[in-house]
Amino acid sequence: MEFKIGDCSICGVFVVLVLCSTLVSGGDIVHQDDTAPSRPGCSNNFVLVKVPIWVDGIEVTEFVGVGARFGPTLESKEKRANQTRLAFADPPDCCSTPRNKLTGEAILVHRGNCSFTTKANVAEDAGASAILIINNQTELFKMVCEKNEADLDIGIPAVMLPQHAGTSLINFLGNSSSVSVQLYSPKRPMVDIAEVFLWLMAVATILCASYWSAWRAREAAIEQDKLLKDGSNECNGTEVSHSGVVLEINIVSAVLFVVVASCFLIMLYKLMSSWFIDVLVVLFSIGGFEGLQTCLVALLSCFRWFERFGQSFIKIPFLGPVSYLMLAISPFCIAFAVLWAVYRHISFAWIGQDILGIALIITVLQIVQIPNLKVGTVLLSCSLLYDLFWVFLSKPLFHKSVMIVVARGDKSGEDGIPMLLKIPRLYDPWKGYSIIGFGDIILPGLLVAFSLRYDWLCNKRLREGYFLWAMIAYGLGLLTTYVALNLMDGHGQPALLYIVPFTLGTFLTLGKQRGDLKHLWTRGEPDRPCPHVRLQPDD
């Protein structure tokens, strides 16, 4: 077998690709917080709040705040939320009775000098209909009740605003303008069409990659079978030369992968910044270029018009033999990857990211393979533990879910790292993206591709084989992940928690029932040099 520069590049970013195996729905809007005190009168969920602003009757902007533990729940429908005049508190901290007379206005106050509930009680007693508290930092802060506070019967809503929002509102009021606000917290729809498309995208990617991998394996086996029939070589010791390289994972590398991926994930978490994202963008662009080039060359080679160019080679220094078709395709692929990297911040750049990502995933699944079910079980089991730890169990150690922080690209100024498939949420009032990590496709995809190679090389029919059931199991596992995602109010979910039991459990159960488990566990695919089954495709 011969190594190619493209194969090495893709394998070099393999660990980076499968780091993020989490499924996130663009931004949590409702969530509990076990660390924040909760008791009767102070038990609201923390919700994000939309705060549209009108100046002299014209809507000029909109801010996002967070609701408090105390006070009434906010209206979820914009049309039902009242438009209320805004007034600035005097004194600004609202720790004592305001000097300005209030007749149902929403009052804007600074954070500090007294508790949040004290401010809310003072504002309510003064006649305010709501209280907007300006944080002294750019981030939002969760307003809770202190342990010894007794007066928690608060009848007006309280919302925390970020510092820049407070500065803008004070400037509007300082210009003697009439400023009005609305407070409402819209609910996210149970199902967004983006989730449906993302599910189809993930399933179709594994489907294409599996058929390509199985086709290559069968072509190699047919070629070897012809050599044996011609008597050109002996069974033991025959080697078939075919383009590209296949890297088979063993048990040691499966365990080592989790260790290396964990170390790299910590590095991403600690070094997350704009420059580090730029490094990931460069790596992803290189891998995406290689993947897109490989997929296009393979696709065009299926047509007679391009077949001759795909089989004609020219030697290039440092690269070796390169087909004329690859030379023709390369400039387009380079331009596509570069344009995405340069314009990745525009609204529709997610399309280019998904194209590069899908091409890269499909190509990786041709290069990296599992030889048997034993290795697949170890790899997926270790990956499941990796997923669970870095999504859930990392919170006590790092105070945040490391996997979700990295997937979202927090503190980087970007909408997540590029090693994700993403689709904008179309009917979500909070917008954002539905995303899925490459690991949620590549890792189970290795098992699904193995099942189809096994079925084809053993000449098994669709229902009698394992591929159909593995694909159904993957689809159901991913669907279950979306159900859990919506039930958990948009919290990021480790997709492998649901996908691995479905896919691996189905494979092991069917193998046991059919008596194939021992063969699948140790030997896997039939020996290619000496196939004992008919390898020609069915008519």
Side-chain angles (χ1 to χ4, degrees):
M1 299 181 189
E2 63 172 324
F3 267 98
K4 291 187 176 180
I5 298 299
D7 297 331
C8 296
S9 300
I10 293 174
C11 293
V13 298
F14 174 66
V15 173
V16 181
L17 292 180
V18 295
L19 279 178
C20 292
S21 301
T22 185
L23 204 150
V24 182
S25 175
D28 299 341
I29 62 168
V30 181
H31 57 278
Q32 290 280 2
D33 190 339
D34 295 334
T35 62
S38 176
R39 60 181 186 274
C42 190
S43 57
N44 293 344
N45 291 337
F46 293 108
V47 297
L48 292 181
V49 181
K50 285 183 178 287
V51 187
I53 308 299
W54 283 266
V55 176
D56 296 330
I58 300 174
E59 186 174 358
V60 294
T61 188
E62 180 181 270
F63 299 115
V64 175
V66 63
R69 273 283 201 210
F70 50 85
T73 57
L74 289 163
E75 179 59 56
S76 61
K77 302 289 186 180
E78 180 181 8
K79 61 183 180 181
R80 297 179 183 173
N82 295 323
Q83 186 174 325
T84 308
R85 188 179 177 88
L86 183 68
F88 189 49
D90 181 20
D93 58 14
C94 199
C95 290
S96 58
T97 303
R99 300 185 185 94
N100 45 337
K101 186 178 180 180
L102 300 176
T103 55
E105 293 89 348
I107 190 169
L108 182 68
V109 307
H110 280 296
R111 176 185 174 184
N113 300 328
C114 62
S115 68
F116 296 121
T117 53
T118 298
K119 295 178 186 290
N121 278 315
V122 169
E124 183 180 11
D125 293 341
S129 60
I131 181 170
L132 303 179
I133 301 177
I134 306 170
N135 196 17
N136 52 16
Q137 300 176 0
T138 56
E139 294 83 9
L140 293 172
F141 185 84
K142 298 173 183 177
M143 295 185 290
V144 299
C145 308
E146 296 183 2
K147 293 182 179 180
N148 299 324
E149 288 180 318
D151 189 6
L152 299 179
D153 186 18
I154 299 171
I156 61 173
V159 176
M160 171 73 72
L161 292 176
Q163 190 176 43
H164 71 276
T167 302
S168 298
L169 289 174
I170 291 173
N171 290 336
F172 291 147
L173 291 169
N175 293 331
S176 300
S177 301
S178 174
V179 181
S180 300
V181 299
Q182 242 184 336
L183 304 177
Y184 66 102
S185 179
K187 295 180 180 180
R188 182 165 276 147
M190 287 297 295
V191 178
D192 191 271
I193 193 67
E195 295 173 351
V196 178
F197 283 120
L198 200 62
W199 183 90
L200 291 172
M201 191 185 300
V203 171
T205 299
I206 290 184
L207 190 68
C208 293
S210 298
Y211 270 96
W212 188 10
S213 177
W215 178 82
R216 288 181 60 185
R218 185 168 62 176
E219 288 296 307
I222 291 174
E223 180 183 350
Q224 183 61 38
D225 194 39
K226 290 180 179 178
L227 291 175
L228 293 173
K229 289 180 180 179
D230 294 339
S232 59
N233 210 333
E234 295 183 357
C235 178
N236 298 325
T238 302
E239 292 185 1
V240 179
S241 175
H242 41 100
S243 61
V245 62
V246 173
L247 297 179
E248 287 192 345
I249 301 174
N250 56 35
I251 293 178
V252 175
S253 58
V255 176
L256 187 61
F257 155 75
V258 176
V259 177
V260 174
S262 296
C263 294
F264 201 89
L265 190 67
I266 294 175
M267 184 175 69
L268 283 174
Y269 177 76
K270 294 294 185 181
L271 299 179
M272 185 62 67
S273 59
S274 58
W275 70 267
F276 201 75
I277 289 290
D278 290 338
V279 173
L280 295 181
V281 167
V282 171
L283 287 175
F284 176 73
S285 298
I286 294 172
F289 152 70
E290 297 286 357
L292 186 61
Q293 175 183 258
T294 302
C295 290
L296 288 178
V297 168
L299 180 62
L300 294 176
S301 297
C302 298
F303 297 94
R304 288 183 296 175
W305 306 291
F306 300 100
E307 187 176 357
R308 182 168 59 89
F309 296 101
Q311 296 176 352
S312 303
F313 294 85
I314 182 175
K315 285 189 176 182
I316 298 179
F318 304 108
L319 297 180
V322 177
S323 69
Y324 286 100
L325 182 58
M326 184 175 289
L327 282 178
I329 291 295
S330 294
F332 167 77
C333 297
I334 293 174
F336 191 94
V338 170
L339 285 174
W340 172 82
V342 173
Y343 297 104
R344 67 184 186 275
H345 297 293
I346 62 178
S347 60
F348 53 88
W350 61 272
I351 299 175
Q353 179 172 325
D354 288 349
I355 292 174
L356 292 174
I358 290 172
L360 182 52
I361 291 171
I362 292 175
T363 305
V364 167
L365 288 175
Q366 310 313 305
I367 299 173
V368 183
Q369 296 180 4
I370 56 174
N372 52 51
L373 188 54
K374 181 180 181 180
V375 174
T377 301
V378 173
L379 177 64
L380 288 178
S381 299
C382 291
S383 300
L384 174 58
L385 294 175
Y386 163 85
D387 227 13
L388 287 173
F389 180 83
W390 291 114
V391 173
F392 292 136
L393 303 180
S394 60
K395 287 184 179 180
L397 296 175
F398 297 89
H399 307 293
K400 291 182 179 180
S401 173
V402 173
M403 182 78 78
I404 294 177
V405 168
V406 171
R408 289 178 176 167
D410 292 0
K411 301 179 182 179
S412 66
E414 302 264 354
D415 288 328
I417 65 174
M419 284 72 178
L420 301 164
L421 298 184
K422 56 193 289 187
I423 296 180
R425 298 179 63 86
L426 302 178
Y427 299 105
D428 190 336
W430 295 99
K431 303 303 179 182
Y433 293 88
S434 289
I435 65 176
I436 183 172
F438 284 0
D440 298 327
I441 303 175
I442 292 177
L443 293 170
L446 293 171
L447 184 66
V448 176
F450 165 76
S451 70
L452 187 58
R453 292 196 304 272
Y454 179 85
D455 288 354
W456 279 18
L457 291 173
C458 288
N459 199 32
K460 288 183 177 290
R461 298 185 182 276
L462 190 61
R463 291 187 180 181
E464 298 171 351
Y466 294 90
F467 171 70
L468 172 64
W469 310 111
M471 277 301 309
I472 292 175
Y474 176 78
L476 290 175
L478 188 56
L479 181 63
T480 304
T481 307
Y482 281 113
V483 173
L485 183 71
N486 287 302
L487 291 177
M488 298 296 180
D489 292 323
H491 276 287
Q493 291 292 302
L496 293 183
L497 174 62
Y498 310 95
I499 294 174
V500 170
F502 271 91
T503 53
L504 194 56
T506 299
F507 218 127
L508 292 171
T509 302
L510 283 177
K512 181 68 174 177
Q513 289 178 349
R514 296 172 177 178
D516 297 334
L517 186 57
K518 184 176 180 181
H519 183 85
L520 286 166
W521 189 261
T522 55
R523 297 182 62 189
E525 303 166 19
D527 295 335
R528 294 177 184 176
C530 293
H532 300 292
V533 294
R534 181 169 58 87
L535 294 173
Q536 296 294 341
D538 296 332
D539 293 332

